[in-house]
Amino acid sequence: MVQDDVWQAVLGELEISVTRPAYLTYFKNTALLKAEDGQVIIGVTNVFVKETIEKKFNDLVLSTLKKQGIEVKEVVYKMIPSKMQKAPEEEFSETDDQEEERPEPRITTQTTSGRPTLNERYTFDNFVVGDGNELAFAACQAVAAQPGLKYNPLYLYGGVGIGKTHLIQAVGNGLQARNPDAKVLYIATEQFVREFVIALRARTTATFANHYRSADVLIVDDVQFLAGKDKIQEEFFHTFNTLHQANKQIIISSDKPPKDIAMLENRLKSRFAGGMSIDMQAPDFETRCAIIQTKAEANQVELEPEVVEYLASLVTSNVRELEGALNQLLAWCDVRSITPTVAIAASLLNVNKGRPKHLSAKQIIERTAKHFQVPLEDLVGPKRDKDIVVPRQVAMYILHEELRLSYPKIAHELGRKDHTTAMHSVRKIAQESQIDAGLRSAITEIKEQLYA
Ligand code: ADP
Ligand code: MG
């Protein structure tokens, strides 16, 4: 067998030995680089994956390799460049020997320690890596390994609920864990703005400034909220420069790239863009499935794959909403001590999308007949003319999509005996609607009217 085939076989085994999220996160993007004299070298794409496999899965990898008939004494994991070059690993060294007392800010959103803090919930470990976030993940890892030197500032941007806050806090948590004395400050921009306004009024801006300028790592979330606030931008500009010049790491998140933030001073835009900017995308279907599985597992619930896939197809762009949908489903089933199913998820979650609870097969068929202006009797009758057949197939397709009826049931609803007819029809419309815009818009219109 060639190396690639061997590794594919090993991956196949691993895929069934570990949980799906673990497989997707750690193994999916690995490669067998070399197998010689008992030494096997496996390529991995980031530090985190490397460390986790070494720590948790090394024995499993070893035994799986042996099962595939590979002579192996030792496995070495090597980083291979993926889309970006990774920073070398290096301990975070605290270089700030400042003797002077660091004044606490007088007014902040106080926690028990007197400072806004990181949320421990956000770690690299519980972040599922996939298309759309892997570059951001790798960059955050690099920064956590070597703060202040490589990507400074690190600027992540993208839509709502796709894991920006999670990742930038994970960097903070990682750094703080390694170096408990480091002053890692996390701040939501809105809070920064509020504090500044209060400091202005109380004439304590110097204290305010000192607080942030004495950070070893400053994490600023949702920086787009600086827009249009000139005085604060000025203050922030100086804070940024002070930290940057001292090689202190700055990490920023935003909903858009620096150049697109309206009413933001140009000098700030250019500072923000001066390090590494990364565009984060919503996770793809596979990653969404992995996220759901991870979160279900954290709740000690095992979900059927169909349920996972259903949720992942229901909520597509926002992980926070995805979590919300999952939690709702789990809670509903938990109080009733029942196992989550697609049907429960469908009825429960569609309600929230403003859909009627009991959309019936009859409504769908009637609405389809009306749309295509064919008599209802013909749609469910024996006629096989083309101008009847297509609307009939569309009705079957919508029954499948919206009600998740079984094929025999769909066939029955339209007066057919054979369920394979329904199967072919659904498939045909699914395919044709990909290329036929007219068909696609017909389906959309029918659905819109059904849910109107
Ligand atoms: P953003 O800051 O981009 O609006 P958050 O970081 O607040 O989004 O993410 C929203 C929720 O989704 C959080 O609870 C976060 O933990 C979770 N989340 C987002 N992406 C992932 C991921 N890839 N793996 C696990 N959880 C994720
Ligand atoms: Mg956020």
Side-chain angles (χ1 to χ4, degrees), residues 155-410:
Y155 186 105
L156 303 185
Y157 65 92
V160 178
I162 57 170
K164 300 184 298 295
T165 298
H166 188 134
L167 269 187
I168 60 178
Q169 289 220 14
V171 179
N173 281 320
L175 289 171
Q176 194 76 83
R178 261 202 236 172
N179 188 343
D181 295 331
K183 186 168 174 182
V184 179
L185 289 185
Y186 166 85
I187 184 118
T189 301
E190 287 161 296
Q191 183 193 338
F192 185 83
V193 169
R194 273 197 302 274
E195 279 182 25
F196 183 74
V197 170
I198 293 168
L200 267 182
R201 244 184 254 145
R203 297 172 199 280
T204 54
T205 45
T207 314
F208 174 83
N210 274 337
H211 176 60
Y212 290 103
R213 290 177 202 178
S214 65
D216 295 309
V217 177
L218 181 64
I219 304 172
V220 184
D221 209 350
D222 289 319
V223 84
Q224 72 271 13
F225 291 121
L226 286 181
K229 306 190 173 77
D230 297 347
K231 258 212 158 114
I232 297 165
Q233 285 183 24
E234 160 106 33
E235 167 60 36
F236 191 71
F237 178 73
H238 294 301
T239 299
F240 186 102
N241 284 344
T242 306
L243 294 174
H244 197 257
Q245 275 156 18
N247 286 335
K248 306 293 185 181
Q249 180 69 47
I250 301 163
I251 306 163
I252 298 172
S253 89
S254 173
D255 65 347
K256 40 179 108 56
K259 66 175 170 40
D260 292 350
I261 304 179
M263 319 242 277
L264 182 71
E265 283 182 33
N266 283 332
R267 56 181 188 170
L268 272 177
K269 285 185 188 175
S270 75
R271 287 293 188 284
F272 289 173
M276 168 78 133
S277 299
I278 295 176
D279 178 5
M280 279 180 81
Q281 305 284 344
D284 63 356
F285 179 74
E286 250 194 339
T287 312
R288 294 199 300 278
C289 287
I291 291 172
I292 294 166
Q293 256 159 345
T294 311
K295 313 249 166 190
E297 263 166 36
N299 281 293
Q300 272 128 29
V301 176
E302 234 184 85
L303 285 180
E304 292 293 328
E306 302 83 65
V307 178
V308 173
E309 284 162 19
Y310 178 75
L311 290 174
S313 59
L314 197 66
V315 186
T316 54
S317 66
N318 184 326
V319 181
R320 190 177 297 118
E321 278 178 14
L322 190 64
E323 275 182 335
L326 172 69
N327 289 339
Q328 219 181 329
L329 176 65
L330 295 186
W332 201 89
C333 292
D334 189 42
V335 292
R336 291 165 180 80
S337 302
I338 52 178
T339 311
T341 62
V342 171
I344 297 171
S347 64
L348 195 67
L349 302 169
N350 279 343
V351 173
N352 292 337
K353 295 184 106 191
R355 295 184 168 189
K357 257 189 235 166
H358 303 296
L359 188 62
S360 68
K362 189 160 166 271
Q363 280 171 295
I364 290 176
I365 296 166
E366 278 173 4
R367 179 47 67 189
T368 309
K370 208 165 186 173
H371 181 87
F372 289 104
Q373 301 182 324
V374 296
L376 182 62
E377 312 82 79
D378 284 355
L379 211 62
V380 298
K383 274 197 190 161
R384 297 179 143 273
D385 313 29
K386 186 158 188 269
D387 53 345
I388 301 290
V389 170
V390 173
R392 188 181 291 143
Q393 289 174 333
V394 168
M396 289 181 171
Y397 173 78
I398 298 178
L399 286 173
H400 174 78
E401 287 288 292
E402 300 303 300
L403 298 188
R404 310 252 149 202
L405 294 188
S406 66
Y407 291 118
K409 251 211 149 109
I410 292 173

Side-chain angles (χ1 to χ4, degrees), residues 399-444:
L399 286 173
H400 174 78
E401 287 288 292
E402 300 303 300
L403 298 188
R404 310 252 149 202
L405 294 188
S406 66
Y407 291 118
K409 251 211 149 109
I410 292 173
H412 178 77
E413 291 291 344
L414 284 139
R416 314 287 109 180
K417 289 202 189 77
D418 188 359
H419 76 276
T420 57
T421 313
M423 223 158 75
H424 292 312
S425 302
V426 170
R427 238 176 249 156
K428 178 165 169 275
I429 298 298
Q431 274 165 9
E432 280 184 8
S433 62
Q434 305 257 337
I435 40 178
D436 183 341
L439 182 61
R440 206 161 48 234
S441 69
I443 295 168
T444 312

Side-chain angles (χ1 to χ4, degrees), residues 74-90:
E74 180 201 21
V75 184
V76 177
Y77 303 91
K78 210 177 143 198
M79 302 254 286
I80 45 175
S82 59
K83 289 187 198 159
M84 65 181 292
Q85 223 204 322
K86 306 302 177 324
E89 279 175 85
E90 200 175 85

Side-chain angles (χ1 to χ4, degrees), residues 54-72:
E54 280 169 350
K55 245 191 275 158
K56 287 198 201 156
F57 298 111
N58 189 48
D59 288 348
L60 178 67
V61 173
L62 214 78
S63 65
T64 313
L65 280 163
K66 282 183 187 153
K67 255 201 222 165
Q68 294 298 328
I70 297 172
E71 187 218 330
V72 50

